[in-house]
Each structure stands twice: as C-alpha cells, then as structure tokens.
Amino acid sequence: MSAAGPRLLVVEDEDATRRSLVTYLTRRDYRVLEAASAADALRCWDANRPDLILLDLGLPDLDGVEVIRRVRRDATTPIIILSARGDERDRIAGLEAGADDYLGKPFAVDELNARIRAVLRRAGGRDSQPDGRLRLGPVELDPLRREVRVGETQARLTPREFELLKVLLSNQGRLVTRERLLRAVWGVAYADASQYLHVYVSRLRRKLAEAGAGTLAERLFVTETGIGYRVADADSLAGVET
Ligand code: CA
C-alpha cells in the first residue's frame, strides 16, 4: 500500500487480473487492498473500511451480489462491479442490490479510473447543493418550486418527466437501472415496462435540448443498453481530467 490517496479494495479471484489491477491502481496513487474471495473481501472490508470496492461478481465461495448486500446492510461504501460479458442479469442484480456502477470485462484501465473518480466524487457529496437544487451542466431542477431551467429558459415538463429527471439528477456519476427508474416514477406495477421508459427518456432529452441544452442533452444520461442510464456528473460533462 502506498502512502496517500483513497483506499480501494480489489475483489477478484483471478490472480493475474487482480495483480495487474493492483499494479495499475497503485501507480495512480490509490492505496490498494486485495481479496481473492468473498470471505476475504468481507473480512478486509470489516477490518479496513475502504473508500471504494471494485468487485468481480464471479467469486469461488459466494455470489458477488451477496457481498454487495452485506456491505449495504451497514454502509454506503461505493461499489463498482467488474463483470464478464454475458453476465447482464448479474449486473442488474448487483446494481439493484446497491452497486454504484459496473464495468464489463475486458475494460480499459483509464475508463476504470474515470469511473472510480466519478463514484468517489459522488460519495464526497459534491453534487448536493445547500439550497436543495439539483444541477447538471446547464440544467437546474428546483424541487420546491417544481421548476426545471436550462440556463435562463424554463423547460415545460410533465409531472412524470419532472420526477424522472429528479431521480436521474439525484444519481450523478451512477448507473441507474431501468427497473429502479420505473419503480420510482411510475410505481411497482410498471417495473417491466422498459419500452415506456425509453419513450419518456427520449422526450425528456428532446425537451432539454430544445430548452437550450442542445446536443449536450444526449450526454446528461447515457443509455446503457439492456441495463439503464449512466448519469453524467459535472466533471465528466466538462471532460475534466484531474
Ligand atoms: Ca471471477
């Protein structure tokens, strides 16, 4: 472990993959803890309370989703799932259990670093405003006045569109599953109506674009096919590399 930087717990049972991750992350000034099984991971998490967990879902002793559930019983520690292709149902289960994001294997390490920084920023509470307003790029949502503005222009949203945008803007830097959005905005009965959601998100993007967000509207919440929407945050929109 190096001396400075956030502490990450890397949970991966494949030795070569884990070692290369540890090497890369240590070089980026993270302090890295490692675990090769779910039992190890939970022990290490209990002993060290790291700032973020990178979690492979296919572990030899216990389903990674179960690790997420156990961590979430006690803590909001950010979790990024690292999962192999074809594990879409596991990814959704992991996100539903409380993971913040996922990255499909194989992934580019720079992309991993960008995701790590996004969820750490979010965990640091940088997106919350003292006045309760939610802001992302030029978009500002005022929950008390139930207003949405893009710059100076008011966007005319329906109550459902407003709720949808509110849930999305409350999850900056995270991946929100379709099921979660449907439940939050329409209720349990609509949890399977993902086509419905697609239509609403398209309409919401169009209204924000027309109110002045232009092509930036496409980047506010990016479709993650079959899973949900990845919400940008201020730094990812600006393309800032810090
Ligand atoms: Ca594995």
Side-chain angles (χ1 to χ4, degrees):
M1 252 170 57
S2 68
R7 293 176 312 152
L8 311 185
L9 170 57
V10 175
V11 186
E12 167 63 75
D13 60 321
E14 263 174 62
D15 289 339
T17 309
R18 190 180 65 254
R19 257 183 253 126
S20 65
L21 272 173
V22 170
T23 304
Y24 168 79
L25 293 167
T26 305
R27 227 177 263 151
R28 301 301 300 243
D29 284 336
Y30 295 106
R31 293 181 284 168
V32 186
L33 303 154
E34 39 184 315
S37 69
D40 270 359
L42 290 168
R43 253 196 309 275
C44 186
W45 180 72
D46 264 330
N48 298 288
R49 286 296 192 267
D51 299 306
L52 183 145
I53 301 171
L54 295 175
L55 180 68
D56 173 34
L57 288 182
L59 296 169
D61 52 339
L62 192 67
D63 194 326
V65 175
E66 194 51 40
V67 174
I68 299 170
R69 288 202 187 100
R70 296 213 186 164
V71 170
R72 278 291 168 272
R73 259 188 238 155
D74 301 334
T76 56
T77 312
I79 300 172
I80 299 176
I81 297 166
L82 307 175
S83 78
R85 264 156 58 115
D87 288 349
E88 191 174 280
R89 285 178 60 183
D90 285 351
R91 288 175 193 177
I92 292 172
L95 291 162
E96 292 280 297
D100 295 79
D101 203 346
Y102 87 89
L103 208 50
K105 292 175 182 174
F107 50 81
V109 284
D110 287 343
E111 178 66 15
L112 174 65
N113 192 36
R115 299 282 177 81
I116 289 172
R117 285 183 302 140
V119 298
L120 285 176
R121 280 197 299 269
R122 181 174 191 276
R126 273 181 48 190
D127 299 323
S128 58
Q129 306 285 338
D131 57 7
R133 293 181 192 182
L134 295 162
R135 296 190 184 96
L136 179 60
V139 178
E140 180 177 290
L141 181 147
D142 185 335
L144 296 175
R145 303 174 73 177
R146 295 192 67 87
E147 263 180 20
V148 173
R149 290 183 176 278
V150 181
E152 296 300 306
T153 309
Q154 193 173 337
R156 309 254 166 226
L157 304 185
T158 66
R160 297 270 194 214
E161 290 164 355
F162 182 87
E163 285 304 316
L164 179 60
L165 183 62
K166 193 165 86 175
V167 177
L168 288 165
L169 294 186
S170 302
N171 284 282
Q172 297 180 33
R174 295 190 87 205
L175 203 166
V176 191
T177 63
R178 296 182 300 200
E179 290 76 6
R180 194 163 152 229
L181 284 168
L182 284 161
R183 278 199 309 269
V185 179
W186 285 273
V188 179
Y190 292 90
D192 294 325
S194 59
Q195 195 49 39
Y196 208 54
L197 181 62
H198 178 73
V199 172
Y200 266 80
V201 170
S202 304
R203 203 178 296 156
L204 179 58
R205 283 186 181 129
R206 196 179 66 236
K207 287 192 179 181
L208 294 175
E210 286 170 1
T215 54
L216 192 65
E218 295 294 321
R219 293 171 54 204
L220 299 174
F221 11 94
V222 177
T223 306
E224 192 71 33
T225 305
I227 310 251
Y229 298 88
R230 174 170 286 111
V231 188
D233 67 2
D235 288 15
S236 67
L237 274 188
V240 175
E241 289 286 320
T242 48

